[in-house]
Amino acid sequence: MEQRMKLILSKLRANYKIDEKEIRITVGPGRVNLIGGHTDYNMGFVLPCAIDKDTMIAAAPNNTDTVNLFSINLNDSISFSLKSLEYDPQDRWANYAKGICFYLLEAGHEIGGIDGVLQGTVPIGSGMSSSAALEVSIGYIFQKLFNLDISPKELAMIAYRAEREFIGVQCGIMDQFVSVNGVRDSVIFLDCRSLDYEVITMPSKDLQVVILHTNVKRSASSALNQRKNECFEAVKLFQQYDSSIEALRDVTPDFFEKHKDFLSPILRKRSQHIVYENQRVIDAKDALKQEDLEELGKLMVESHRSLAKLYEVSSKELDAMIKISTDVQGVIGSRMTGAGLGGAVACIVENEKVDDLIKAVYLRYPQLTNKKPITYICKIADGVREVPLNEL
Ligand code: GLA
């Protein structure tokens, strides 16, 4: 942490003329979702946690209307005026920052230009939500630099709107919400409709979250948009039988079984996944509270199967990771994390079995797929936070 802060601060001082007293540093984490695949934009339930892979930003106000940011990872600078905040594909990652500024201003928050340097440790395109980490960290640095009165829910909503409305990815609220509200060593049971949530402490400190990356980058946005449309079409058909249904979250298993034959095979599969996945999230929350890790693991694997067979967002590489990991003793459960179609699998593993898992993955994954895996060992971390400069 210290080394990283020093690097970011030295770049900040080298690239911009900074008023030392004004510098603030924020960290926005990525996330892993233990269960609840694609339920968020159907107004259902999810069970994610924030992880210790994040985006760190150091910045200071520059008393202009211009936002200047430099990314250490990309070795790239961006610059835009707060007076013209329009999405432009040419602007690459600047659009995330522009989106945040746009919704901050729209909500009436008074912000000015800043100079900042950022560095991220969330792998891009891996299903760990590097975009939420970036959005939330940017939102929070503005909040700190301009002393804005923003609740955690509002910050999550601003970051969510930046992703969904400004960037145009038809995602749900999960990633941004948990990046703001995550709690160390705990998972968040979130109702994506009401945004009520419960913090559930992991039953044991002897567990790790291990990410098995397929080394295939996923293109989440088109798949998400298509699945979302299919779910909305299914809702319209269910509404013919009960007009109070507003989202697939409102369809119970009984109601689904009664009316499923009126759906086309594709819409039937998509809605079957969502209806039963919501129940699995509730069951997984109860299992965690009862410290029944075996049940949690079973539900995670069932969730993956359903995402593969019914929602059709798995891949042969993701399935290979599930096969390999579930064969290792001490792995509690595993499933794809994020949108799917590439990206990564998240496993909950007993501490002393992490090495066995990693060895098995490096041995068997290339045999099954001809590709090299990438693995990350993560801790469950707090949500967005400020790092005081005196920690240096
Ligand atoms: C992506 C989206 C999330 C969620 C997941 C699937 O990560 O950003 O909102 O829909 O896919 O569970």
Side-chain angles (χ1 to χ4, degrees):
M1 178 72 101
E2 228 177 76
Q3 280 303 99
R4 200 175 160 204
M5 277 169 73
K6 280 190 179 149
L7 170 72
I8 296 175
L9 285 169
S10 73
K11 284 274 174 205
L12 184 69
R13 290 170 184 132
N15 287 16
Y16 307 103
K17 210 166 151 280
I18 290 289
D19 180 349
E20 287 290 324
K21 295 185 301 297
E22 303 276 345
I23 299 175
R24 307 290 282 261
I25 301 182
T26 57
V27 167
R31 64 96 191 90
V32 158
N33 185 21
L34 295 195
I35 192 162
H38 292 266
T39 44
D40 60 351
Y41 53 84
N42 288 295
M43 297 296 125
F45 305 104
V46 288
L47 200 64
C49 55
I51 54 174
D52 61 345
K53 304 271 176 281
D54 52 54
T55 297
M56 184 183 271
I57 305 183
N62 58 20
N63 304 315
T64 71
D65 282 331
T66 305
V67 173
N68 302 306
L69 292 172
F70 175 76
S71 157
I72 293 179
N73 302 69
L74 303 173
N75 194 21
D76 189 28
S77 304
I78 57 162
S79 206
F80 60 86
S81 161
L82 290 171
K83 296 221 159 99
S84 76
L85 293 173
E86 265 160 40
Y87 179 84
D88 180 347
Q90 307 278 319
D91 279 357
R92 309 170 314 274
W93 61 280
N95 287 309
Y96 291 95
K98 278 184 176 180
I100 295 292
C101 294
F102 182 89
Y103 294 110
L104 282 171
L105 288 169
E106 193 193 69
H109 297 297
E110 282 177 26
I111 58 172
I114 64 170
D115 295 331
V117 170
L118 55 96
Q119 197 241 354
T121 54
V122 189
I124 295 173
S126 62
M128 289 188 249
S129 209
S130 53
S131 57
L134 175 63
E135 290 149 0
V136 165
S137 194
I138 291 177
Y140 202 54
I141 198 91
F142 275 101
Q143 178 169 349
K144 290 290 150 187
L145 291 174
F146 296 98
N147 201 14
L148 307 177
D149 182 15
I150 302 182
S151 70
K153 270 188 193 162
E154 186 185 354
L155 180 61
M157 281 310 287
I158 284 172
Y160 167 57
R161 292 184 70 195
E163 176 90 38
R164 199 178 58 130
E165 293 166 36
F166 206 83
I167 305 286
V169 177
Q170 296 298 306
C171 59
I173 182 71
M174 168 174 72
D175 302 350
Q176 292 78 16
F177 193 93
V178 71
S179 181
V180 173
N181 294 294
V183 176
R184 185 179 297 214
D185 296 326
S186 308
V187 291
I188 305 292
F189 173 73
L190 172 67
D191 178 334
C192 298
R193 173 175 276 157
S194 64
L195 298 188
D196 289 340
Y197 69 102
E198 211 180 308
V199 178
I200 302 160
T201 313
M202 284 299 276
S204 161
K205 291 236 183 293
D206 300 330
L207 299 174
Q208 297 273 11
V209 177
V210 178
I211 306 288
L212 311 175
H213 193 334
T214 57
N215 215 344
V216 180
K217 282 202 179 163
R218 50 110 185 88
S219 59
S221 118
S222 60
L224 263 177
N225 294 356
Q226 191 198 349
R227 293 300 182 280
K228 186 166 187 170
N229 290 339
E230 288 164 352
C231 291
F232 287 4
E233 262 183 69
V235 168
K236 276 196 217 130
L237 294 170
F238 282 122
Q239 279 170 345
Q240 296 175 10
Y241 303 96
D242 179 348
S243 58
S244 73
I245 288 172
E246 286 176 3
L248 283 181
R249 180 304 183 31
D250 303 313
V251 178
T252 62
D254 277 355
F255 190 87
F256 171 78
E257 294 301 333
K258 218 157 132 196
H259 299 289
K260 66 179 179 191
D261 294 336
F262 295 97
L263 301 171
S264 69
I266 292 277
L267 297 191
R268 192 181 315 147
K269 284 199 275 184
R270 305 298 187 246
S271 33
Q272 184 177 344
H273 166 73
I274 300 298
V275 168
Y276 286 93
E277 183 77 348
N278 273 324
Q279 188 55 50
R280 276 188 288 269
V281 181
I282 295 169
D283 294 346
K285 172 197 68 167
D286 294 342
L288 267 180
K289 284 183 165 174
Q290 286 152 20
E291 308 198 355
D292 185 349
L293 291 174
E294 203 184 318
E295 177 68 7
L296 172 72
K298 233 178 72 203
L299 290 163
M300 286 173 75
V301 175
E302 270 173 34
S303 163
H304 183 87
R305 294 222 171 95
S306 175
L307 284 160
K309 294 226 152 48
L310 300 173
Y311 219 66
E312 297 179 285
V313 288
S314 190
S315 64
K316 91 171 187 302
E317 290 86 3
L318 286 167
D319 291 347
M321 287 299 195
I322 297 289
K323 165 101 193 76
I324 297 163
S325 54
T326 49
D327 281 351
V328 176
Q329 215 209 342
V331 170
I332 309 291
S334 45
R335 68 180 279 282
M336 73 173 74
T337 179
L341 297 170
V345 155
C347 306
I348 306 289
V349 195
E350 291 169 12
N351 273 345
E352 68 269 25
K353 302 294 180 183
V354 170
D355 285 350
D356 292 355
L357 171 64
I358 304 236
K359 271 191 209 135
V361 168
Y362 278 96
L363 179 71
R364 292 185 60 201
Y365 184 70
Q367 294 168 349
L368 292 177
T369 63
N370 259 328
K371 295 191 169 75
K372 281 195 185 145
I374 311 171
T375 57
Y376 303 91
I377 300 174
C378 302
K379 289 201 167 30
I380 301 185
D382 283 323
V384 71
R385 63 195 185 282
E386 176 168 21
V387 188
L389 265 169
N390 59 17
E391 267 191 23
L392 262 183

